[in-house]
Amino acid sequence: MKYWSSSRRDFLKTVAGLAVSGKLLAQTRGPLQRPVLIVGGGLAGLAVLDALKAAGRQAVLFEASARLGGRILTIRDGLEPGLRAEAGGEQVMRSHQRVHRLAGDLRIPLIDYPILEGDLVFRHRGRMLRFRLPSDLPADLTDGLSPWEKTRWPHRLHLAYTVNADPLADDDPRNALQWLRDLGLSRRGETFVRAFAAVDPEQISAAHFQRIARREATGGNSQALAGGSDRLTEALVARHAQSIRRNTPIRSVVIGENTATLLDAAGEAHVADQVVLALPLGPLLALDYRPGRPRWLSRWGEARVVAHELKVHAQVDAREFAALGIRQHIMGFEFPRMTWLLPERSANGKAVLSTTAVNRHLARLQEARFRGVQDMERLLRQQLPLLRTLAVKTRGEDWEHNPLIGGAYTYVPAGSRGSPPVQREGPLVLAGSDYSDYSGWMEGALQSAEAAVSEILRYSP
Ligand SMILES: Cc1cc2nc3c(=O)[nH]c(=O)nc-3n(C[C@H](O)[C@H](O)[C@H](O)COP(=O)(O)OP(=O)(O)OC[C@H]3O[C@@H](n4cnc5c(N)ncnc54)[C@H](O)[C@@H]3O)c2cc1C
């Protein structure tokens, strides 16, 4: 594919001529229309590329690393053949229509995550507590819950409160914890909410928390992409391999009246009439904007990026798990929030045990991971003493410290507005899960891509 690019020598000349060339090119759209440039090869960037191509537009995507997919990462190395572990995006709620549609288009089936089938297990004070109904839980776990809370699933308490609450205004100044306390959340209930809500309720505005929780509550049981989440991104990559430039980190964005010039790390300049920045908040803020940052970035600058969630994996003998009568989920305060077996199992009886830590468990898991796999094994053994076949083989990606990722989730501080409409400034359009109604979900990456593409086609059909 041929598109407008130049050497570093030409860059200054290009920048100097931006205003003029921009106007000229604006007048000569049509056969001379330049490709849309997309920065970021996560699901959002790839979906933008796919949709633009489907609309008959030329587009080129720049990805900083050698690997496409961003926060979708399926690990297979070090596991028995046929096994896989997801380090990033995994569960697809039934209400995530865009993911379902894309998976259908790419002929990737979804498999059920049988979350609430059979007994659940709660690890508490060194004991494995099996329960089917909330009332089965022992008093030392439920003491301090209000009578109403005692009849709810404790690990879904944040949803029980949210579903019944009146909708909150975006500018409600309370954080989610203050709001839940106002609704009657008990001290003991707080422990459950902190452990099981997807985000830390003290770190997120009440309105944003309510949006996230309502979607979770209406999503029903989740599903997963058969064969691995990366089948989604890999299929898009295969479809558009010719239009993707790997190992090309973009460092600077020079914003002209009608054009933008991207300067990559090798000093090459790429000029376009329309640029989609499909980046997480951290890398988006890290770009060098000339003559200055887009206005919408200052608003997003208030938001914080937090790696709320970390996954670690161990290979186990599925038969041993079954013999223990443990179904998919183990949860507990002392343990990384959730532990589950992938619904797909290989023929050799091996399965992958995944654990997810959020909020305050993160530090402990990260520490263990940094010290190595051995320590992780010790941590899991200590927490799951009944499992003898445990073999920690894989580890999660360091989402927090990887500068290309900039965290797993953003959160919007209390008082600032929630998810934005389409963001455009001159030739720049923003995309990415972080700025969608579904921040922290693959659905959000697709929603943002949809919005960005319709904005581009509206601007230059
Ligand atoms: C641990 C974890 C668990 C998750 N679980 C789920 C789940 O169960 N279900 C679900 O739906 N979602 C889940 N998600 C969220 C989901 O994975 C993300 O919302 C989605 O993949 C984000 O896509 P994106 O394209 O917006 O961003 P990203 O995937 O972050 O893509 C951004 C891309 O930009 C590239 N880049 C960065 N800087 C530059 C630069 N300067 N130049 C060029 N390229 C650059 C990066 O390398 C990356 O490839 C999870 C995420 C994590 C981390």
Side-chain angles (χ1 to χ4, degrees):
M1 143 129 351
K2 198 168 167 20
Y3 62 97
W4 273 252
S5 78
S6 60
S7 68
R8 180 185 278 279
R9 198 157 41 87
D10 294 336
F11 177 63
L12 291 176
K13 216 164 68 186
T14 311
V15 172
L18 275 183
V20 177
S21 64
K23 277 200 186 101
L24 282 177
L25 275 150
Q27 286 161 10
T28 54
R29 287 224 170 82
L32 276 180
Q33 201 168 47
R34 291 186 278 207
V36 175
L37 300 185
I38 303 159
V39 186
L43 183 58
L46 288 167
V48 168
L49 179 63
D50 192 49
L52 286 175
K53 292 280 187 162
R57 294 294 302 267
Q58 300 281 340
V60 177
L61 182 149
F62 299 104
E63 166 55 45
S65 71
R67 181 183 69 83
L68 275 294
R71 279 172 281 178
I72 291 177
L73 170 59
T74 307
I75 296 168
R76 294 184 184 80
D77 285 353
L79 291 167
E80 297 268 334
L83 289 188
R84 63 182 168 84
E86 300 294 351
E90 180 172 24
Q91 302 202 23
V92 180
M93 301 306 227
R94 288 191 193 276
S95 61
H96 289 179
Q97 293 303 316
R98 293 172 183 88
V99 183
H100 281 270
R101 221 180 299 132
L102 181 62
D105 173 31
L106 298 170
R107 299 187 192 288
I108 304 169
L110 282 128
I111 46 170
D112 282 347
Y113 240 107
I115 286 182
L116 289 177
E117 243 178 44
D119 292 356
L120 297 169
V121 174
F122 206 101
R123 248 197 79 83
H124 186 53
R125 299 192 174 140
R127 284 181 299 154
M128 298 282 239
L129 306 166
R130 213 173 284 263
F131 71 110
R132 194 164 277 262
L133 293 172
S135 52
D136 297 338
L137 283 165
D140 64 340
L141 199 58
T142 55
D143 271 354
L145 291 177
S146 70
W148 179 81
E149 287 171 344
K150 278 187 182 167
T151 63
R152 300 297 182 277
W153 291 96
H155 55 286
R156 289 172 66 87
L157 216 47
H158 57 293
L159 304 184
Y161 274 103
T162 308
V163 166
N164 295 319
D166 292 333
L168 283 170
D170 270 350
D171 57 359
D172 190 300
R174 289 170 293 180
N175 70 36
L177 191 61
Q178 289 163 337
W179 170 58
L180 291 169
R181 281 177 183 157
D182 290 347
L183 290 174
L185 180 70
S186 66
R187 280 273 172 210
R188 186 60 169 161
E190 210 175 294
T191 322
F192 281 96
V193 171
R194 281 180 189 277
F196 295 106
V199 287
D200 186 337
E202 220 166 356
Q203 308 271 26
I204 188 168
S205 68
H208 200 38
F209 183 87
Q210 186 176 37
R211 267 194 297 273
I212 293 172
R214 284 196 157 187
R215 277 197 307 271
E216 192 182 337
T218 53
N221 276 358
S222 55
Q223 295 182 294
L225 291 145
S229 300
D230 67 350
R231 287 185 67 199
L232 209 55
T233 42
E234 288 303 315
L236 293 177
V237 171
R239 214 183 241 186
H240 304 295
Q242 299 299 315
S243 308
I244 294 172
R245 305 256 320 247
R246 294 168 195 253
N247 297 311
T248 312
I250 299 301
R251 298 271 190 256
S252 304
V253 181
V254 182
I255 309 164
E257 198 185 329
N258 294 305
T259 59
T261 303
L262 304 178
L263 183 61
D264 68 30
E268 201 177 344
H270 313 269
V271 188
D273 304 312
Q274 310 227 55
V275 168
V276 179
L277 298 175
L279 299 172
L281 185 59
L284 187 75
L285 289 168
L287 290 182
D288 166 30
Y289 297 93
R290 303 175 203 170
R293 271 186 178 183
R295 279 182 301 276
W296 33 258
L297 262 189
S298 54
R299 207 193 98 203
W300 275 101
E302 285 170 34
R304 281 184 48 199
V305 182
V306 185
H308 275 297
E309 188 172 316
L310 182 75
K311 291 178 178 179
V312 290
H313 311 98
Q315 190 168 292
V316 296
D317 189 326
R319 284 161 303 207
E320 188 189 6
F321 231 71
L324 289 169
I326 296 173
R327 293 297 188 91
Q328 277 71 22
H329 275 69
I330 308 169
M331 55 193 86
F333 305 135
E334 322 149 20
F335 195 67
R337 181 176 66 143
M338 291 272 191
T339 304
W340 68 95
L341 285 176
L342 278 174
E344 283 174 300
R345 282 179 192 166
S346 72
N348 59 15
K350 299 283 183 195
V352 168
L353 177 73
S354 302
T355 66
T356 297
V358 274
N359 307 339
R360 60 214 163 85
H361 298 301
L362 189 65
R364 189 168 64 151
L365 271 184
Q366 267 190 339
E367 198 188 309
R369 186 156 51 74
F370 286 136
R371 287 201 309 260
V373 171
Q374 294 298 318
D375 282 13
M376 185 61 75
E377 182 161 353
R378 207 172 308 136
L379 177 81
L380 288 169
R381 274 192 197 290
Q382 197 187 330
Q383 300 292 341
L384 290 175
L386 293 177
L387 275 179
R388 282 173 294 102
T389 55
L390 196 70
V392 180
K393 293 274 190 196
T394 62
R395 59 196 181 91
E397 176 98 332
D398 182 4
W399 299 122
E400 191 169 47
H401 294 96
N402 181 342
L404 297 177
I405 299 295
Y409 302 109
T410 52
Y411 70 72
V412 184
S416 63
R417 281 184 49 213
S419 59
V422 172
Q423 306 270 20
R424 159 186 288 284
E425 187 155 330
L428 303 183
V429 179
L430 181 64
S433 152
D434 289 8
Y435 326 101
S436 71
D437 288 331
Y438 300 83
S439 170
W441 292 96
M442 296 183 274
E443 179 75 2
L446 296 181
Q447 186 201 33
S448 75
E450 226 170 57
V453 169
S454 62
E455 178 65 15
I456 284 175
L457 296 180
R458 191 172 67 81
Y459 184 74
S460 59

